[in-house]
Structures are given as C-alpha cells and as structure tokens.
Amino acid sequence: MEYKLREVLSILEKLNSKTDIVTKDDIDEQYDNLEDLKVLSSELDKVLGGFNTVNLNDGNKVEEMLFEFHRIITTFEWHFSEISDLNTKILKEYKDKFNND
C-alpha cells in the first residue's frame, strides 16, 4: 500500500509542478508521512501476529488488542485523509489553472 500511495503522491507532485496549487512543503510532508505509514504497518503486523497468544477469556488483553486495532486503523484513516485532501485541492483547481495558462 505504501508503494501505491507513493505513486499517487508522485502523480500529484507532477500535476502540481505545472500549476503550483499546493506548496512543495505540503507534498513533502506527505512523503514524510509515508515513512510513518510503514512503521504503522509493522505495528499492525505485530498485533495481528500476537493474536494467537491472546487469551480470549481475558477481557483486559482482548480490550488492549482491540484498542491497538482502533489506534492503528484511525491513524491509517488519517494518512489516507491527508493524501485525499491534497488530491482534492489539486482536483478543484487543476483544470481551470491548466486551461487558463
């Protein structure tokens, strides 16, 4: 997934280079965030891998695992939302800027 999001950012960066709709810093920030996404993916792998060792009769341990799922999933959502926001900014202005230049 990280690779595909990197491709999306690369395309947005190319489109933006023709129009300067968003700042280079905005795009660079999303590339930096992809590194965090890799870490997050590894954290999810650890939680998933540890499932078989969780005593399903221990409500505290199950709750701990579910909270980790929640934290990781909402952070994934945030990362996707940030890239989506960047895409939306370019989407709203690209055609008009490009056609007017």
Side-chain angles (χ1 to χ4, degrees):
M1 184 55 61
E2 181 262 333
Y3 176 77
K4 291 177 182 177
L5 289 175
R6 189 171 297 280
E7 284 187 271
V8 169
L9 282 175
S10 176
I11 290 168
L12 293 176
E13 184 176 31
K14 286 176 186 168
L15 293 173
N16 192 61
S17 71
K18 298 173 75 75
T19 59
D20 291 322
I21 294 168
V22 297
T23 67
K24 182 178 179 337
D25 288 344
D26 288 339
I27 292 173
D28 289 346
E29 180 180 351
Q30 294 314 309
Y31 277 114
D32 290 344
N33 286 344
L34 287 181
E35 296 305 314
D36 297 338
L37 197 65
K38 287 195 313 193
V39 171
L40 192 64
S41 184
S42 293
E43 290 174 5
L44 179 58
D45 288 342
K46 287 178 188 174
V47 175
L48 292 171
F51 172 73
N52 291 328
T53 64
V54 173
N55 178 352
L56 301 182
N57 296 318
D58 183 341
N60 289 330
K61 291 295 182 185
V62 170
E63 181 181 62
E64 184 180 305
M65 179 190 64
L66 293 173
F67 272 127
E68 276 299 290
F69 283 156
H70 177 72
R71 179 188 68 82
I72 291 168
I73 289 168
T74 57
T75 306
F76 272 126
E77 289 174 340
W78 178 83
H79 282 287
F80 277 92
S81 176
E82 288 291 297
I83 293 172
S84 178
D85 289 349
L86 198 63
N87 182 68
T88 301
K89 287 176 185 175
I90 294 172
L91 170 67
K92 286 181 177 178
E93 295 184 38
Y94 186 84
K95 185 173 77 171
D96 291 337
K97 276 198 163 228
F98 186 74
N99 289 340
N100 290 331
D101 286 347

XYZ file of all heavy atoms in Angstrom:
842
model
N 0.829 -1.199 0.000
C 0.000 0.000 0.000
C 0.872 1.261 0.000
O 0.549 2.222 -0.677
C -0.941 -0.027 1.212
C -1.901 1.135 1.241
S -2.936 1.381 -0.225
C -3.851 -0.107 -0.294
N 1.939 1.200 0.749
C 2.822 2.370 0.817
C 3.352 2.719 -0.577
O 3.403 3.885 -0.958
C 3.970 2.081 1.801
C 4.945 3.223 1.968
C 6.189 3.073 1.117
O 6.572 1.943 0.792
O 6.785 4.106 0.773
N 3.692 1.694 -1.347
C 4.202 1.922 -2.701
C 3.147 2.606 -3.573
O 3.448 3.540 -4.328
C 4.653 0.595 -3.327
C 5.089 0.740 -4.757
C 6.341 1.282 -5.066
C 4.259 0.362 -5.802
C 6.749 1.435 -6.386
C 4.657 0.508 -7.118
C 5.894 1.045 -7.404
O 6.296 1.197 -8.709
N 1.913 2.157 -3.460
C 0.845 2.733 -4.275
C 0.560 4.176 -3.871
O 0.325 5.038 -4.726
C -0.415 1.876 -4.175
C -0.254 0.531 -4.857
C -1.461 -0.325 -4.705
C -1.192 -1.673 -5.364
N -2.298 -2.589 -5.198
N 0.591 4.445 -2.595
C 0.392 5.831 -2.153
C 1.546 6.718 -2.602
O 1.346 7.885 -2.935
C 0.223 5.890 -0.635
C -1.090 5.322 -0.108
C -1.095 5.329 1.413
C -2.272 6.098 -0.649
N 2.745 6.154 -2.632
C 3.902 6.903 -3.133
C 3.695 7.244 -4.611
O 4.018 8.350 -5.049
C 5.180 6.097 -2.928
C 6.452 6.869 -3.221
C 7.697 6.114 -2.815
N 7.786 5.851 -1.398
C 8.177 6.721 -0.478
N 8.503 7.953 -0.840
N 8.234 6.395 0.787
N 3.127 6.324 -5.370
C 2.820 6.590 -6.778
C 1.778 7.699 -6.912
O 1.901 8.565 -7.780
C 2.306 5.320 -7.460
C 3.380 4.318 -7.790
C 2.839 3.174 -8.612
O 2.376 2.192 -8.000
O 2.878 3.277 -9.858
N 0.747 7.650 -6.074
C -0.272 8.709 -6.091
C 0.377 10.053 -5.817
O 0.129 11.037 -6.532
C -1.397 8.412 -5.060
C -2.303 9.619 -4.888
C -2.198 7.191 -5.466
N 1.231 10.107 -4.793
C 1.903 11.372 -4.472
C 2.789 11.840 -5.616
O 2.858 13.040 -5.907
C 2.731 11.226 -3.199
C 1.961 11.275 -1.906
C 2.883 11.003 -0.729
C 1.268 12.618 -1.737
N 3.440 10.916 -6.275
C 4.288 11.277 -7.413
C 3.460 11.917 -8.524
O 3.869 12.935 -9.116
C 5.008 10.029 -7.931
O 5.761 10.332 -9.068
N 2.298 11.362 -8.783
C 1.415 11.931 -9.808
C 0.927 13.313 -9.381
O 0.941 14.263 -10.174
C 0.233 10.981 -10.094
C 0.746 9.730 -10.819
C -0.863 11.684 -10.901
C -0.264 8.610 -10.906
N 0.522 13.433 -8.123
C 0.064 14.739 -7.628
C 1.188 15.760 -7.707
O 0.964 16.917 -8.068
C -0.453 14.614 -6.196
C -1.729 13.794 -6.018
C -2.073 13.656 -4.542
C -2.888 14.386 -6.793
N 2.387 15.319 -7.401
C 3.540 16.221 -7.463
C 3.785 16.699 -8.900
O 4.038 17.881 -9.139
C 4.768 15.499 -6.918
C 6.007 16.355 -6.834
C 7.155 15.620 -6.195
O 7.259 14.376 -6.329
O 7.964 16.299 -5.544
N 3.685 15.793 -9.860
C 3.870 16.164 -11.266
C 2.796 17.148 -11.721
O 3.079 18.136 -12.397
C 3.863 14.926 -12.150
C 5.125 14.124 -12.052
C 5.052 12.858 -12.857
C 6.303 12.032 -12.585
N 6.198 10.684 -13.095
N 1.554 16.867 -11.361
C 0.468 17.777 -11.736
C 0.650 19.138 -11.075
O 0.444 20.180 -11.702
C -0.885 17.179 -11.345
C -1.301 15.918 -12.102
C -2.566 15.332 -11.498
C -1.471 16.200 -13.581
N 1.043 19.115 -9.832
C 1.227 20.365 -9.106
C 2.394 21.184 -9.655
O 2.366 22.409 -9.610
C 1.433 20.085 -7.621
C 1.349 21.332 -6.799
O 0.317 21.997 -6.772
N 2.454 21.676 -6.160
N 3.393 20.511 -10.192
C 4.552 21.239 -10.735
C 4.154 22.112 -11.920
O 4.831 23.085 -12.242
C 5.662 20.260 -11.144
O 5.294 19.545 -12.299
N 3.043 21.789 -12.557
C 2.557 22.587 -13.681
C 1.677 23.752 -13.228
O 1.417 24.667 -13.998
C 1.753 21.705 -14.632
C 2.558 20.568 -15.253
C 1.684 19.636 -16.040
C 1.234 20.165 -17.338
N 2.124 20.251 -18.454
N 1.199 23.694 -11.985
C 0.191 24.671 -11.559
C 0.465 25.361 -10.223
O -0.117 26.398 -9.946
C -1.178 23.983 -11.430
O -1.066 22.928 -10.472
C -1.658 23.452 -12.768
N 1.297 24.778 -9.391
C 1.580 25.329 -8.048
C 0.308 25.562 -7.230
O 0.152 26.603 -6.595
C 2.387 26.627 -8.145
C 3.794 26.372 -8.646
O 4.385 25.343 -8.268
O 4.297 27.191 -9.435
N -0.561 24.608 -7.243
C -1.806 24.721 -6.475
C -1.529 24.548 -4.986
O -2.077 25.258 -4.152
C -2.843 23.690 -6.975
C -3.261 24.046 -8.403
C -4.056 23.633 -6.044
C -4.061 22.966 -9.112
N -0.674 23.584 -4.647
C -0.286 23.371 -3.248
C 1.208 23.632 -3.131
O 1.928 23.645 -4.132
C -0.642 21.947 -2.760
C -2.137 21.719 -2.801
C 0.084 20.881 -3.551
N 1.667 23.811 -1.924
C 3.089 24.092 -1.737
C 3.900 22.800 -1.817
O 3.381 21.709 -1.565
C 3.356 24.758 -0.377
O 3.077 23.809 0.661
C 2.529 26.021 -0.202
N 5.157 22.964 -2.137
C 6.074 21.823 -2.143
C 6.152 21.223 -0.748
O 6.247 20.001 -0.590
C 7.450 22.259 -2.638
C 8.449 21.121 -2.711
C 9.775 21.598 -3.241
C 10.843 20.544 -3.339
N 10.766 19.378 -2.528
N 6.084 22.056 0.264
C 6.108 21.568 1.645
C 4.935 20.645 1.942
O 5.084 19.656 2.660
C 6.099 22.733 2.641
C 7.419 23.476 2.680
O 8.430 22.931 2.190
O 7.443 24.604 3.214
N 3.762 20.964 1.388
C 2.592 20.101 1.587
C 2.831 18.706 1.010
O 2.481 17.695 1.620
C 1.343 20.710 0.945
C 0.810 21.910 1.687
O 1.122 22.077 2.887
O 0.060 22.690 1.063
N 3.419 18.671 -0.155
C 3.703 17.376 -0.792
C 4.821 16.653 -0.052
O 4.712 15.458 0.232
C 4.037 17.570 -2.278
C 2.772 18.034 -3.015
C 4.585 16.279 -2.892
C 2.967 18.420 -4.447
N 5.873 17.378 0.299
C 6.983 16.770 1.034
C 6.519 16.192 2.367
O 6.987 15.129 2.789
C 8.098 17.787 1.276
C 8.847 18.151 0.007
O 8.691 17.436 -1.012
O 9.583 19.161 0.026
N 5.596 16.880 3.015
C 5.061 16.390 4.285
C 4.385 15.033 4.100
O 4.521 14.132 4.941
C 4.077 17.395 4.862
C 3.477 16.971 6.180
C 2.493 17.984 6.735
O 2.385 19.110 6.185
O 1.823 17.646 7.715
N 3.690 14.861 2.990
C 3.019 13.583 2.748
C 4.023 12.473 2.448
O 3.827 11.328 2.852
C 1.996 13.717 1.622
C 0.843 14.624 1.965
C 0.264 14.345 3.344
O -0.046 13.200 3.668
N 0.139 15.369 4.149
N 5.115 12.811 1.780
C 6.173 11.813 1.581
C 6.752 11.405 2.933
O 7.016 10.222 3.175
C 7.276 12.352 0.669
C 6.980 12.231 -0.803
C 6.805 13.371 -1.586
C 6.872 10.991 -1.424
C 6.538 13.271 -2.952
C 6.608 10.888 -2.791
C 6.445 12.024 -3.537
O 6.184 11.910 -4.880
N 6.960 12.364 3.811
C 7.449 12.064 5.161
C 6.455 11.179 5.903
O 6.841 10.251 6.620
C 7.696 13.345 5.963
C 8.885 14.137 5.463
O 9.714 13.582 4.704
O 8.980 15.332 5.813
N 5.180 11.464 5.736
C 4.145 10.676 6.406
C 4.139 9.225 5.933
O 3.748 8.329 6.685
C 2.766 11.297 6.196
C 2.552 12.541 7.020
O 3.278 12.812 7.965
N 1.538 13.307 6.662
N 4.580 8.988 4.708
C 4.637 7.611 4.210
C 5.609 6.770 5.026
O 5.397 5.563 5.204
C 5.028 7.576 2.731
C 3.965 8.027 1.752
C 4.488 7.920 0.323
C 2.687 7.225 1.899
N 6.650 7.407 5.530
C 7.584 6.681 6.394
C 6.871 6.249 7.676
O 7.062 5.128 8.153
C 8.811 7.541 6.710
C 9.646 7.886 5.487
C 10.091 6.655 4.698
O 10.567 5.675 5.312
O 9.950 6.665 3.456
N 6.043 7.126 8.226
C 5.254 6.778 9.410
C 4.280 5.652 9.088
O 4.004 4.798 9.933
C 4.465 7.989 9.915
C 5.362 9.130 10.377
O 6.533 8.868 10.706
O 4.888 10.276 10.398
N 3.771 5.645 7.886
C 2.832 4.614 7.457
C 3.498 3.238 7.457
O 2.871 2.239 7.828
C 2.292 4.956 6.071
C 1.049 4.264 5.610
C -0.153 4.659 6.465
C 0.763 4.606 4.161
N 4.761 3.184 7.057
C 5.495 1.917 7.075
C 5.625 1.403 8.504
O 5.442 0.209 8.761
C 6.876 2.072 6.430
C 6.816 2.199 4.940
C 8.119 2.007 4.209
C 9.311 2.709 4.722
N 10.443 2.702 3.781
N 5.927 2.296 9.430
C 6.038 1.916 10.841
C 4.696 1.410 11.349
O 4.611 0.389 12.040
C 6.548 3.109 11.687
C 6.459 2.809 13.177
C 7.967 3.486 11.288
N 3.650 2.113 11.002
C 2.303 1.735 11.424
C 1.930 0.353 10.889
O 1.332 -0.470 11.597
C 1.312 2.792 10.934
C -0.086 2.740 11.489
C -0.083 2.996 12.990
C -0.957 3.765 10.794
N 2.289 0.085 9.662
C 2.013 -1.219 9.064
C 2.738 -2.321 9.831
O 2.181 -3.400 10.069
C 2.429 -1.207 7.601
O 2.091 -2.412 6.983
N 3.958 -2.058 10.237
C 4.718 -3.032 11.040
C 4.056 -3.253 12.394
O 4.004 -4.387 12.891
C 6.154 -2.553 11.256
O 6.855 -2.545 10.051
N 3.546 -2.179 12.984
C 2.850 -2.307 14.259
C 1.604 -3.180 14.112
O 1.321 -4.020 14.972
C 2.472 -0.932 14.815
C 3.660 -0.119 15.273
C 3.296 1.300 15.684
O 2.096 1.647 15.709
O 4.221 2.074 15.977
N 0.886 -3.001 13.018
C -0.296 -3.823 12.768
C 0.104 -5.287 12.605
O -0.561 -6.181 13.138
C -1.053 -3.329 11.534
C -2.301 -4.119 11.159
C -3.316 -4.155 12.302
C -2.933 -3.525 9.901
N 1.193 -5.526 11.889
C 1.673 -6.900 11.727
C 1.953 -7.545 13.087
O 1.627 -8.718 13.304
C 2.941 -6.941 10.870
C 2.684 -6.659 9.403
O 1.516 -6.764 8.959
O 3.655 -6.322 8.694
N 2.544 -6.796 14.008
C 2.847 -7.331 15.343
C 1.565 -7.665 16.101
O 1.471 -8.719 16.741
C 3.682 -6.329 16.143
C 5.100 -6.219 15.677
C 5.856 -5.177 16.477
C 7.222 -4.941 15.875
N 7.940 -3.843 16.540
N 0.585 -6.776 16.034
C -0.674 -7.026 16.735
C -1.366 -8.244 16.131
O -1.847 -9.127 16.851
C -1.599 -5.787 16.702
C -2.948 -6.107 17.338
C -0.952 -4.610 17.422
N -1.405 -8.312 14.812
C -2.031 -9.453 14.148
C -1.295 -10.753 14.477
O -1.926 -11.780 14.738
C -2.064 -9.240 12.632
C -2.976 -8.124 12.135
C -2.745 -7.884 10.639
C -4.427 -8.423 12.424
N 0.009 -10.688 14.472
C 0.816 -11.868 14.771
C 0.649 -12.344 16.205
O 0.786 -13.541 16.494
N 0.345 -11.421 17.102
C 0.188 -11.782 18.505
C -1.198 -12.265 18.870
O -1.425 -12.715 19.999
N -2.117 -12.235 17.939
C -3.496 -12.623 18.248
C -3.586 -14.037 18.812
O -4.311 -14.295 19.766
C -4.396 -12.492 17.020
C -5.777 -13.053 17.247
C -6.695 -12.373 18.043
C -6.145 -14.267 16.701
C -7.962 -12.883 18.279
C -7.412 -14.792 16.926
C -8.319 -14.100 17.715
N -2.852 -14.960 18.225
C -2.937 -16.361 18.656
C -2.446 -16.573 20.092
O -2.737 -17.600 20.688
C -2.172 -17.268 17.698
C -2.866 -17.355 16.359
O -4.083 -17.277 16.267
N -2.080 -17.499 15.300
N -1.715 -15.617 20.634
C -1.234 -15.753 22.010
C -2.142 -15.048 23.017
O -1.911 -15.150 24.219
C 0.198 -15.191 22.141
O 0.181 -13.787 21.861
C 1.149 -15.905 21.192
N -3.151 -14.345 22.527
C -4.061 -13.628 23.425
C -5.082 -14.612 23.996
O -5.723 -15.353 23.244
C -4.791 -12.481 22.677
C -5.864 -11.849 23.559
C -3.796 -11.434 22.211
N -5.193 -14.595 25.315
C -6.201 -15.414 25.979
C -7.550 -14.737 25.768
O -7.813 -13.668 26.314
C -5.875 -15.545 27.472
C -6.905 -16.337 28.235
O -7.960 -16.697 27.708
N -6.599 -16.618 29.494
N -8.392 -15.367 24.975
C -9.676 -14.760 24.621
C -10.633 -14.692 25.805
O -11.673 -14.029 25.726
C -10.319 -15.509 23.456
C -9.485 -15.555 22.171
C -10.234 -16.282 21.068
C -9.080 -14.164 21.724
N -10.280 -15.345 26.881
C -11.081 -15.276 28.109
C -10.607 -14.159 29.028
O -11.192 -13.943 30.087
C -11.045 -16.614 28.852
C -11.692 -17.723 28.040
O -12.740 -17.506 27.428
N -11.076 -18.883 28.014
N -9.542 -13.471 28.646
C -9.010 -12.348 29.431
C -9.488 -11.055 28.772
O -8.907 -10.577 27.794
C -7.489 -12.419 29.467
C -6.849 -11.335 30.327
O -7.518 -10.313 30.619
O -5.677 -11.509 30.700
N -10.566 -10.519 29.323
C -11.168 -9.313 28.746
C -10.212 -8.152 28.635
O -10.274 -7.377 27.679
N -9.291 -8.009 29.598
C -8.330 -6.906 29.560
C -7.378 -7.030 28.377
O -7.077 -6.044 27.706
C -7.531 -6.839 30.859
C -8.369 -6.359 32.021
O -9.314 -5.580 31.853
N -8.054 -6.836 33.213
N -6.909 -8.251 28.118
C -5.977 -8.464 26.997
C -6.690 -8.284 25.653
O -6.132 -7.708 24.717
C -5.342 -9.856 27.072
C -4.387 -10.014 28.228
C -3.196 -9.101 28.065
C -2.216 -9.305 29.200
N -1.101 -8.362 29.138
N -7.906 -8.770 25.558
C -8.669 -8.598 24.316
C -8.944 -7.113 24.092
O -8.783 -6.595 22.980
C -9.983 -9.416 24.349
C -10.877 -9.047 23.176
C -9.684 -10.914 24.360
N -9.331 -6.419 25.150
C -9.588 -4.984 25.036
C -8.328 -4.238 24.607
O -8.386 -3.351 23.745
C -10.098 -4.438 26.370
C -10.405 -2.944 26.314
C -10.878 -2.415 27.650
O -10.108 -2.467 28.636
O -12.023 -1.945 27.691
N -7.188 -4.611 25.154
C -5.915 -3.989 24.780
C -5.636 -4.170 23.293
O -5.244 -3.232 22.593
C -4.799 -4.624 25.617
C -3.434 -4.027 25.413
C -2.411 -4.717 26.292
O -2.605 -4.773 27.526
O -1.408 -5.209 25.731
N -5.878 -5.394 22.797
C -5.668 -5.670 21.382
C -6.635 -4.842 20.528
O -6.243 -4.245 19.519
C -5.875 -7.160 21.099
C -5.707 -7.543 19.639
S -6.238 -9.222 19.287
C -7.985 -9.118 19.642
N -7.897 -4.769 20.944
C -8.891 -4.017 20.183
C -8.578 -2.528 20.177
O -8.790 -1.848 19.161
C -10.295 -4.283 20.729
C -10.805 -5.714 20.532
C -12.127 -5.907 21.255
C -10.915 -6.063 19.062
N -8.071 -2.009 21.294
C -7.657 -0.602 21.314
C -6.497 -0.362 20.349
O -6.445 0.678 19.682
C -7.266 -0.146 22.720
C -8.408 0.368 23.537
C -8.657 -0.143 24.810
C -9.241 1.370 23.062
C -9.714 0.333 25.573
C -10.289 1.857 23.811
C -10.532 1.335 25.077
N -5.583 -1.323 20.260
C -4.485 -1.191 19.310
C -5.016 -1.196 17.881
O -4.574 -0.410 17.050
C -3.450 -2.305 19.499
C -2.446 -2.003 20.581
C -1.647 -0.746 20.284
O -0.817 -0.742 19.352
O -1.858 0.259 20.993
N -5.957 -2.085 17.587
C -6.594 -2.069 16.259
C -7.204 -0.697 15.982
O -7.021 -0.137 14.904
C -7.697 -3.128 16.146
C -7.234 -4.529 15.947
C -8.045 -5.582 16.329
C -6.015 -4.826 15.364
C -7.642 -6.899 16.144
C -5.596 -6.131 15.173
C -6.417 -7.175 15.562
N -7.913 -0.181 16.949
C -8.576 1.120 16.787
C -7.547 2.218 16.510
O -7.703 3.013 15.577
C -9.401 1.456 18.028
C -10.045 2.799 17.956
N -11.114 3.073 17.126
C -9.748 3.968 18.587
C -11.450 4.347 17.251
N -10.634 4.904 18.128
N -6.486 2.255 17.311
C -5.439 3.272 17.145
C -4.817 3.179 15.756
O -4.666 4.187 15.049
C -4.361 3.105 18.220
C -3.214 4.108 18.106
C -2.087 3.784 19.070
N -1.384 2.558 18.727
C -0.429 2.466 17.811
N -0.078 3.518 17.087
N 0.171 1.307 17.577
N -4.495 1.994 15.349
C -3.820 1.794 14.066
C -4.757 2.130 12.907
O -4.380 2.833 11.967
C -3.273 0.357 13.968
C -2.118 0.186 14.963
C -2.832 0.030 12.552
C -1.681 -1.253 15.178
N -5.983 1.653 12.970
C -6.944 1.905 11.883
C -7.239 3.390 11.744
O -7.265 3.925 10.626
C -8.237 1.095 12.113
C -7.961 -0.390 11.882
C -9.361 1.580 11.195
C -9.072 -1.306 12.353
N -7.443 4.082 12.860
C -7.736 5.522 12.764
C -6.531 6.300 12.263
O -6.695 7.298 11.559
C -8.240 6.101 14.100
O -7.277 5.869 15.119
C -9.579 5.508 14.487
N -5.344 5.827 12.583
C -4.144 6.502 12.067
C -3.997 6.244 10.571
O -3.627 7.150 9.825
C -2.896 6.052 12.835
O -3.119 6.243 14.237
C -1.682 6.875 12.425
N -4.298 5.028 10.116
C -4.333 4.766 8.671
C -5.333 5.702 7.995
O -5.047 6.282 6.948
C -4.739 3.319 8.372
C -3.611 2.331 8.338
C -3.665 1.189 9.125
C -2.512 2.506 7.512
C -2.637 0.255 9.088
C -1.484 1.588 7.469
C -1.549 0.450 8.272
N -6.511 5.829 8.586
C -7.538 6.717 8.028
C -7.008 8.141 7.901
O -7.241 8.808 6.892
C -8.791 6.720 8.908
C -9.588 5.460 8.858
C -10.736 5.445 9.855
O -10.725 6.219 10.834
O -11.653 4.644 9.648
N -6.296 8.601 8.921
C -5.741 9.958 8.902
C -4.768 10.106 7.734
O -4.811 11.100 6.999
C -5.052 10.285 10.229
C -4.433 11.643 10.216
C -5.039 12.828 10.458
C -3.063 11.951 9.907
N -4.142 13.868 10.326
C -2.923 13.345 9.989
C -1.953 11.181 9.582
C -1.719 13.991 9.757
C -0.749 11.828 9.351
C -0.646 13.217 9.438
N -3.892 9.118 7.555
C -2.916 9.182 6.457
C -3.613 9.243 5.103
O -3.256 10.056 4.246
C -1.967 7.982 6.497
C -0.890 8.106 7.527
N 0.182 8.952 7.392
C -0.727 7.490 8.716
C 0.959 8.852 8.442
N 0.424 7.968 9.270
N -4.620 8.414 4.914
C -5.362 8.437 3.649
C -6.092 9.770 3.478
O -6.147 10.323 2.379
C -6.361 7.277 3.588
C -5.741 5.988 3.138
C -5.235 5.091 4.058
C -5.669 5.677 1.793
C -4.660 3.901 3.640
C -5.097 4.496 1.362
C -4.586 3.596 2.302
N -6.635 10.281 4.552
C -7.350 11.551 4.504
C -6.424 12.698 4.110
O -6.810 13.581 3.329
C -7.999 11.827 5.863
O -8.617 13.074 5.870
N -5.224 12.696 4.615
C -4.256 13.746 4.276
C -3.938 13.736 2.782
O -3.900 14.783 2.146
C -2.966 13.557 5.086
C -3.105 13.883 6.556
C -3.305 15.362 6.797
O -2.402 16.146 6.463
O -4.373 15.727 7.310
N -3.721 12.561 2.227
C -3.433 12.465 0.794
C -4.682 12.815 -0.008
O -4.611 13.491 -1.036
C -2.882 11.071 0.440
C -1.506 10.901 1.091
C -2.797 10.888 -1.076
C -0.927 9.509 0.977
N -5.832 12.388 0.467
C -7.087 12.717 -0.204
C -7.311 14.229 -0.218
O -7.757 14.785 -1.230
C -8.251 12.023 0.497
O -9.466 12.374 -0.113
N -7.001 14.896 0.872
C -7.138 16.365 0.924
C -6.241 17.040 -0.108
O -6.653 17.992 -0.777
C -6.812 16.892 2.316
C -7.866 16.544 3.353
O -8.957 16.078 2.974
O -7.582 16.739 4.562
N -5.026 16.543 -0.235
C -4.101 17.084 -1.223
C -4.657 16.873 -2.631
O -4.662 17.790 -3.459
C -2.748 16.382 -1.074
C -1.534 17.014 -1.679
C -1.248 18.362 -1.049
C -0.346 16.082 -1.497
N -5.158 15.681 -2.882
C -5.765 15.370 -4.172
C -6.949 16.299 -4.447
O -7.095 16.821 -5.560
C -6.222 13.903 -4.183
C -6.822 13.501 -5.505
O -6.140 13.427 -6.514
N -8.115 13.249 -5.490
N -7.782 16.507 -3.455
C -8.964 17.355 -3.621
C -8.583 18.788 -3.956
O -9.208 19.421 -4.822
C -9.841 17.309 -2.354
O -10.235 15.948 -2.128
C -11.073 18.171 -2.492
N -7.553 19.301 -3.299
C -7.108 20.669 -3.587
C -6.687 20.794 -5.051
O -7.041 21.760 -5.733
C -5.947 21.055 -2.672
C -6.342 21.310 -1.255
C -5.126 21.599 -0.390
C -5.505 21.737 1.060
N -4.335 21.907 1.930
N -5.942 19.825 -5.510
C -5.486 19.868 -6.904
C -6.663 19.646 -7.850
O -6.796 20.339 -8.863
C -4.351 18.851 -7.129
C -3.113 19.283 -6.320
C -4.023 18.724 -8.609
C -1.991 18.278 -6.293
N -7.512 18.714 -7.513
C -8.691 18.426 -8.331
C -9.557 19.658 -8.539
O -10.010 19.939 -9.657
C -9.516 17.319 -7.658
C -10.902 17.035 -8.234
C -10.788 16.457 -9.641
C -11.659 16.082 -7.330
N -9.770 20.419 -7.498
C -10.662 21.585 -7.583
C -10.128 22.689 -8.483
O -10.902 23.453 -9.044
C -10.900 22.153 -6.182
C -11.825 21.313 -5.343
C -12.035 21.948 -3.991
C -13.014 21.155 -3.154
N -13.186 21.757 -1.824
N -8.814 22.767 -8.631
C -8.243 23.904 -9.362
C -7.484 23.550 -10.629
O -7.232 24.423 -11.448
C -7.305 24.681 -8.436
C -8.009 25.323 -7.268
C -7.065 26.154 -6.433
O -6.176 26.815 -7.017
O -7.207 26.138 -5.205
N -7.107 22.299 -10.777
C -6.193 21.941 -11.865
C -6.737 22.316 -13.242
O -6.066 22.985 -14.013
C -5.860 20.447 -11.823
C -4.811 20.093 -12.837
C -3.466 20.263 -12.541
C -5.152 19.607 -14.095
C -2.487 19.962 -13.457
C -4.180 19.312 -15.033
C -2.858 19.482 -14.710
O -1.878 19.197 -15.636
N -7.902 21.870 -13.535
C -8.458 22.076 -14.881
C -8.503 23.566 -15.225
O -8.070 23.975 -16.300
C -9.844 21.451 -14.996
C -10.422 21.538 -16.406
C -11.710 20.770 -16.547
C -12.844 21.533 -15.923
N -14.164 20.944 -16.215
N -9.005 24.364 -14.305
C -9.113 25.805 -14.565
C -7.741 26.447 -14.721
O -7.538 27.247 -15.637
C -9.884 26.500 -13.445
C -11.363 26.116 -13.456
O -11.864 25.706 -14.524
O -11.997 26.221 -12.395
N -6.812 26.090 -13.861
C -5.472 26.673 -13.964
C -4.788 26.244 -15.246
O -4.148 27.029 -15.906
C -4.615 26.272 -12.761
C -4.822 27.147 -11.569
C -3.662 26.950 -10.632
C -3.667 28.107 -9.673
N -2.396 28.709 -9.509
N -4.919 24.974 -15.559
C -4.254 24.449 -16.740
C -4.840 25.045 -18.008
O -4.126 25.432 -18.913
C -4.352 22.921 -16.770
C -3.563 22.306 -17.872
C -2.182 22.236 -17.806
C -4.192 21.801 -18.986
C -1.435 21.667 -18.829
C -3.462 21.226 -20.020
C -2.084 21.165 -19.946
N -6.146 25.130 -18.052
C -6.817 25.667 -19.257
C -6.634 27.174 -19.391
O -6.779 27.698 -20.469
C -8.298 25.307 -19.236
C -8.530 23.839 -19.485
O -7.676 23.142 -20.021
N -9.683 23.357 -19.080
N -6.353 27.844 -18.290
C -6.188 29.294 -18.344
C -4.758 29.722 -18.618
O -4.506 30.877 -18.896
C -6.671 29.945 -17.049
C -8.179 29.856 -16.925
O -8.881 29.823 -17.931
N -8.662 29.814 -15.708
N -3.819 28.793 -18.513
C -2.405 29.164 -18.731
C -2.005 29.090 -20.172
O -2.583 28.590 -21.032
C -1.490 28.256 -17.905
C -1.550 28.615 -16.433
O -2.079 29.677 -16.091
O -1.056 27.797 -15.627
